[in-house]
PDB file of all heavy atoms in Angstrom:
ATOM      1  N   GLY A 270     139.764 145.773 154.382  1.00 96.00           N
ATOM      2  CA  GLY A 270     138.402 145.759 153.863  1.00 96.00           C
ATOM      3  C   GLY A 270     138.027 147.174 153.468  1.00 96.00           C
ATOM      4  O   GLY A 270     138.830 148.096 153.626  1.00 96.00           O
ATOM      5  N   GLU A 271     136.821 147.351 152.967  1.00 94.00           N
ATOM      6  CA  GLU A 271     136.444 148.681 152.487  1.00 94.00           C
ATOM      7  C   GLU A 271     135.007 149.023 152.846  1.00 94.00           C
ATOM      8  O   GLU A 271     134.154 148.128 152.962  1.00 94.00           O
ATOM      9  CB  GLU A 271     136.619 148.756 150.964  1.00 94.00           C
ATOM     10  CG  GLU A 271     135.711 147.803 150.189  1.00 94.00           C
ATOM     11  CD  GLU A 271     135.997 147.784 148.680  1.00 94.00           C
ATOM     12  OE1 GLU A 271     137.189 147.728 148.303  1.00 94.00           O
ATOM     13  OE2 GLU A 271     135.034 147.818 147.900  1.00 94.00           O
ATOM     14  N   ILE A 272     134.760 150.284 153.072  1.00 91.00           N
ATOM     15  CA  ILE A 272     133.369 150.758 153.109  1.00 91.00           C
ATOM     16  C   ILE A 272     133.284 152.082 152.361  1.00 91.00           C
ATOM     17  O   ILE A 272     134.120 152.965 152.520  1.00 91.00           O
ATOM     18  CB  ILE A 272     132.784 150.953 154.543  1.00 91.00           C
ATOM     19  CG1 ILE A 272     133.697 151.775 155.450  1.00 91.00           C
ATOM     20  CG2 ILE A 272     132.441 149.644 155.201  1.00 91.00           C
ATOM     21  CD1 ILE A 272     132.987 152.178 156.742  1.00 91.00           C
ATOM     22  N   HIS A 273     132.278 152.169 151.539  1.00 88.00           N
ATOM     23  CA  HIS A 273     132.038 153.417 150.815  1.00 88.00           C
ATOM     24  C   HIS A 273     130.558 153.532 150.492  1.00 88.00           C
ATOM     25  O   HIS A 273     129.789 152.576 150.643  1.00 88.00           O
ATOM     26  CB  HIS A 273     132.893 153.481 149.550  1.00 88.00           C
ATOM     27  CG  HIS A 273     132.731 152.298 148.656  1.00 88.00           C
ATOM     28  ND1 HIS A 273     131.616 152.120 147.888  1.00 88.00           N
ATOM     29  CD2 HIS A 273     133.522 151.214 148.454  1.00 88.00           C
ATOM     30  CE1 HIS A 273     131.753 150.981 147.208  1.00 88.00           C
ATOM     31  NE2 HIS A 273     132.891 150.409 147.552  1.00 88.00           N
ATOM     32  N   GLY A 274     130.198 154.695 150.038  1.00 80.00           N
ATOM     33  CA  GLY A 274     128.789 155.030 149.867  1.00 80.00           C
ATOM     34  C   GLY A 274     128.040 154.206 148.832  1.00 80.00           C
ATOM     35  O   GLY A 274     126.807 154.173 148.837  1.00 80.00           O
ATOM     36  N   ASP A 275     128.749 153.520 147.940  1.00 83.00           N
ATOM     37  CA  ASP A 275     128.057 152.736 146.930  1.00 83.00           C
ATOM     38  C   ASP A 275     127.635 151.362 147.435  1.00 83.00           C
ATOM     39  O   ASP A 275     126.922 150.648 146.757  1.00 83.00           O
ATOM     40  CB  ASP A 275     128.966 152.520 145.715  1.00 83.00           C
ATOM     41  CG  ASP A 275     128.855 153.687 144.745  1.00 83.00           C
ATOM     42  OD1 ASP A 275     128.022 154.577 145.007  1.00 83.00           O
ATOM     43  OD2 ASP A 275     129.598 153.700 143.749  1.00 83.00           O
ATOM     44  N   MET A 276     128.133 150.997 148.603  1.00 84.00           N
ATOM     45  CA  MET A 276     127.798 149.665 149.107  1.00 84.00           C
ATOM     46  C   MET A 276     126.444 149.700 149.786  1.00 84.00           C
ATOM     47  O   MET A 276     126.085 150.690 150.409  1.00 84.00           O
ATOM     48  CB  MET A 276     128.845 149.228 150.139  1.00 84.00           C
ATOM     49  CG  MET A 276     130.197 148.944 149.526  1.00 84.00           C
ATOM     50  SD  MET A 276     131.487 148.981 150.774  1.00 84.00           S
ATOM     51  CE  MET A 276     131.102 147.520 151.720  1.00 84.00           C
ATOM     52  N   ASP A 277     125.697 148.616 149.673  1.00 79.00           N
ATOM     53  CA  ASP A 277     124.430 148.612 150.388  1.00 79.00           C
ATOM     54  C   ASP A 277     124.703 148.402 151.875  1.00 79.00           C
ATOM     55  O   ASP A 277     125.815 148.041 152.285  1.00 79.00           O
ATOM     56  CB  ASP A 277     123.443 147.586 149.824  1.00 79.00           C
ATOM     57  CG  ASP A 277     123.957 146.174 149.936  1.00 79.00           C
ATOM     58  OD1 ASP A 277     124.807 145.914 150.811  1.00 79.00           O
ATOM     59  OD2 ASP A 277     123.508 145.324 149.153  1.00 79.00           O
ATOM     60  N   GLN A 278     123.694 148.663 152.633  1.00 75.00           N
ATOM     61  CA  GLN A 278     123.873 148.692 154.077  1.00 75.00           C
ATOM     62  C   GLN A 278     124.364 147.346 154.628  1.00 75.00           C
ATOM     63  O   GLN A 278     125.192 147.303 155.516  1.00 75.00           O
ATOM     64  CB  GLN A 278     122.542 149.099 154.729  1.00 75.00           C
ATOM     65  CG  GLN A 278     122.650 149.428 156.188  1.00 75.00           C
ATOM     66  CD  GLN A 278     123.451 150.704 156.452  1.00 75.00           C
ATOM     67  OE1 GLN A 278     123.819 151.430 155.534  1.00 75.00           O
ATOM     68  NE2 GLN A 278     123.741 150.960 157.712  1.00 75.00           N
ATOM     69  N   SER A 279     123.843 146.247 154.050  1.00 80.00           N
ATOM     70  CA  SER A 279     124.232 144.956 154.621  1.00 80.00           C
ATOM     71  C   SER A 279     125.708 144.646 154.348  1.00 80.00           C
ATOM     72  O   SER A 279     126.389 144.072 155.190  1.00 80.00           O
ATOM     73  CB  SER A 279     123.322 143.838 154.119  1.00 80.00           C
ATOM     74  OG  SER A 279     123.284 143.855 152.725  1.00 80.00           O
ATOM     75  N   SER A 280     126.202 145.070 153.190  1.00 85.00           N
ATOM     76  CA  SER A 280     127.635 144.852 152.951  1.00 85.00           C
ATOM     77  C   SER A 280     128.472 145.716 153.871  1.00 85.00           C
ATOM     78  O   SER A 280     129.527 145.303 154.341  1.00 85.00           O
ATOM     79  CB  SER A 280     128.035 145.169 151.512  1.00 85.00           C
ATOM     80  OG  SER A 280     127.017 144.893 150.620  1.00 85.00           O
ATOM     81  N   ARG A 281     128.010 146.923 154.114  1.00 83.00           N
ATOM     82  CA  ARG A 281     128.759 147.788 155.030  1.00 83.00           C
ATOM     83  C   ARG A 281     128.803 147.174 156.424  1.00 83.00           C
ATOM     84  O   ARG A 281     129.834 147.165 157.086  1.00 83.00           O
ATOM     85  CB  ARG A 281     128.078 149.151 155.151  1.00 83.00           C
ATOM     86  CG  ARG A 281     128.351 150.067 153.994  1.00 83.00           C
ATOM     87  CD  ARG A 281     128.056 151.485 154.417  1.00 83.00           C
ATOM     88  NE  ARG A 281     127.163 152.142 153.462  1.00 83.00           N
ATOM     89  CZ  ARG A 281     126.657 153.359 153.657  1.00 83.00           C
ATOM     90  NH1 ARG A 281     126.929 154.016 154.742  1.00 83.00           N
ATOM     91  NH2 ARG A 281     125.878 153.896 152.749  1.00 83.00           N
ATOM     92  N   ILE A 282     127.652 146.660 156.826  1.00 80.00           N
ATOM     93  CA  ILE A 282     127.588 146.050 158.153  1.00 80.00           C
ATOM     94  C   ILE A 282     128.530 144.856 158.223  1.00 80.00           C
ATOM     95  O   ILE A 282     129.267 144.677 159.188  1.00 80.00           O
ATOM     96  CB  ILE A 282     126.141 145.638 158.485  1.00 80.00           C
ATOM     97  CG1 ILE A 282     125.307 146.902 158.753  1.00 80.00           C
ATOM     98  CG2 ILE A 282     126.093 144.707 159.688  1.00 80.00           C
ATOM     99  CD1 ILE A 282     123.834 146.648 158.893  1.00 80.00           C
ATOM    100  N   ALA A 283     128.520 144.049 157.170  1.00 86.00           N
ATOM    101  CA  ALA A 283     129.374 142.865 157.157  1.00 86.00           C
ATOM    102  C   ALA A 283     130.845 143.279 157.270  1.00 86.00           C
ATOM    103  O   ALA A 283     131.618 142.689 158.032  1.00 86.00           O
ATOM    104  CB  ALA A 283     129.143 142.064 155.878  1.00 86.00           C
ATOM    105  N   GLU A 284     131.201 144.300 156.532  1.00 88.00           N
ATOM    106  CA  GLU A 284     132.591 144.751 156.536  1.00 88.00           C
ATOM    107  C   GLU A 284     132.979 145.296 157.924  1.00 88.00           C
ATOM    108  O   GLU A 284     134.048 145.003 158.443  1.00 88.00           O
ATOM    109  CB  GLU A 284     132.747 145.820 155.460  1.00 88.00           C
ATOM    110  CG  GLU A 284     134.125 145.912 154.852  1.00 88.00           C
ATOM    111  CD  GLU A 284     134.497 144.711 153.969  1.00 88.00           C
ATOM    112  OE1 GLU A 284     133.747 143.718 153.938  1.00 88.00           O
ATOM    113  OE2 GLU A 284     135.567 144.759 153.337  1.00 88.00           O
TER     114      GLU A 284
END
Side-chain angles (χ1 to χ4, degrees):
E271 63 186 45
I272 50 169
H273 54 74
D275 274 356
M276 291 161 69
D277 62 24
Q278 191 68 8
S279 53
S280 328
R281 281 199 231 174
I282 288 172
E284 209 70 352

